[in-house]
Amino acid sequence: MPISAPIFALKHKAKRHAKQAGLRLHQAMDEIAAQEGFQSWSHLAAGAQPNSQAAHALSQFDAGDMVLLAARPKQGKTLFGLEMAARAPLLERSGYFFTLEATEKDITVYLSAIGLPAHKVQDQLSVDTSDAICGAYIAEHIQRTGGLKVVVIDYLQLLDQNRARPNLEAQLTTLRAAVRAQGAICVVLSQVDRTFDLSDKTMPELTDIRLPNPLDLSVFDRMCFLHNGQVRMR
């Protein structure tokens, strides 16, 4: 039986309900399960459809995290990142998708492809396709608008193409400071070098990130790699 939100989000909802109604957590969880059409929380956990991989990955990030999401072309990293931004309300956050690659028309197509038509998420997802996108631009937006956010940036290598802007490491340092100060979650999409396709690896690694210019990847707190429908976190 399908559920209205991933299990982690329903559990968060149950915690709020328990506090507001003066219930024990297990009682509140059973009430939420009943609202979803299940006999109990254990019944829900056993019989619910699996959460999406993007929603599950998002649930593992903490406030202030800078996350690198990397894959070769055609592995779904844009859809994965866009879905995380669109599902930000599950964590009681606002979702933002900054892209130097896709057009607004592309975004509409992408959302439909992941079962989240644009008209259903228009009030919970902001998309920015400005040519002015850079580390400082996004940092200023995070600080100016306030509130908890999930920010997804498409993508790392394009931030490094405009020579009129600071180098990539300076941009990410500025961005990281804003993310940590505001308790945001920031996911930066990244290309994986084509040499990965010539290797016998089953999943990209840190050394496979395509870096036209030097960058200290320790600026990222977490890494997420995609390949052949599999997701690996580190």
Side-chain angles (χ1 to χ4, degrees):
M1 181 184 299
I3 54 178
S4 64
I7 289 179
F8 72 84
L10 293 178
K11 188 170 183 180
H12 188 71
K13 181 179 179 181
K15 289 179 179 179
R16 294 200 311 271
H17 178 52
K19 185 175 181 179
Q20 294 168 355
L23 299 174
R24 293 184 178 274
L25 180 57
H26 71 87
Q27 295 173 317
M29 291 169 68
D30 284 343
E31 287 193 7
I32 296 298
Q35 293 173 14
E36 296 289 324
F38 293 86
Q39 297 174 6
S40 65
W41 182 264
S42 60
H43 183 207
L44 181 151
Q49 291 183 347
N51 302 331
S52 74
Q53 290 180 311
H56 178 68
L58 181 61
S59 72
Q60 299 182 59
F61 303 149
D62 298 320
D65 272 353
M66 286 279 289
V67 183
L68 188 70
L69 171 61
R72 286 291 291 147
K74 309 301 182 184
Q75 294 296 322
K77 64 179 176 291
T78 301
L79 294 183
F80 200 91
L82 182 59
E83 183 177 354
M84 284 198 279
R87 294 192 183 279
L90 297 176
L91 300 183
E92 299 186 343
R93 291 173 175 267
S94 302
Y96 294 83
F97 190 80
F98 293 87
T99 178
L100 285 161
E101 175 81 347
T103 65
E104 292 186 7
K105 183 177 180 180
D106 292 333
I107 298 300
T108 298
V109 174
Y110 294 158
L111 287 170
S112 179
I114 56 179
L116 294 170
H119 70 276
K120 290 189 176 182
V121 299
Q122 59 186 0
D123 294 331
Q124 60 195 46
L125 174 66
S126 296
V127 176
D128 192 326
T129 61
S130 170
D131 289 336
I133 291 171
C134 64
Y137 178 96
I138 299 169
E140 191 277 332
H141 179 87
I142 291 172
Q143 294 169 324
R144 171 172 49 82
T145 56
L148 296 176
K149 297 178 175 63
V150 173
V151 173
V152 178
I153 303 170
D154 178 32
Y155 56 89
L156 179 73
Q157 287 74 19
L158 287 180
L159 292 176
D160 200 26
Q161 287 193 342
N162 190 331
R163 297 298 95 194
R165 298 200 175 103
N167 64 45
L168 186 56
E169 188 148 350
Q171 289 189 54
L172 292 178
T173 298
T174 297
L175 180 60
R176 180 173 182 168
V179 167
R180 289 194 166 179
Q182 298 298 320
I185 294 171
C186 182
V187 180
V188 183
L189 309 190
S190 173
Q191 295 178 342
V192 163
D193 196 86
R194 61 185 177 179
T195 56
F196 168 76
D197 293 335
L198 303 176
S199 73
D200 58 0
K201 299 176 183 177
T202 59
M203 186 68 71
E205 301 172 351
L206 189 62
T207 54
D208 295 309
I209 301 300
R210 189 175 78 82
L211 293 175
N213 294 300
L215 174 66
D216 182 357
L217 292 173
S218 67
V219 69
F220 295 101
D221 304 288
R222 299 174 186 264
M223 305 278 178
C224 182
F225 298 98
L226 311 180
H227 193 65
N228 287 340
Q230 301 299 310
V231 181
R232 179 174 295 172
M233 306 284 293
R234 67 181 295 269

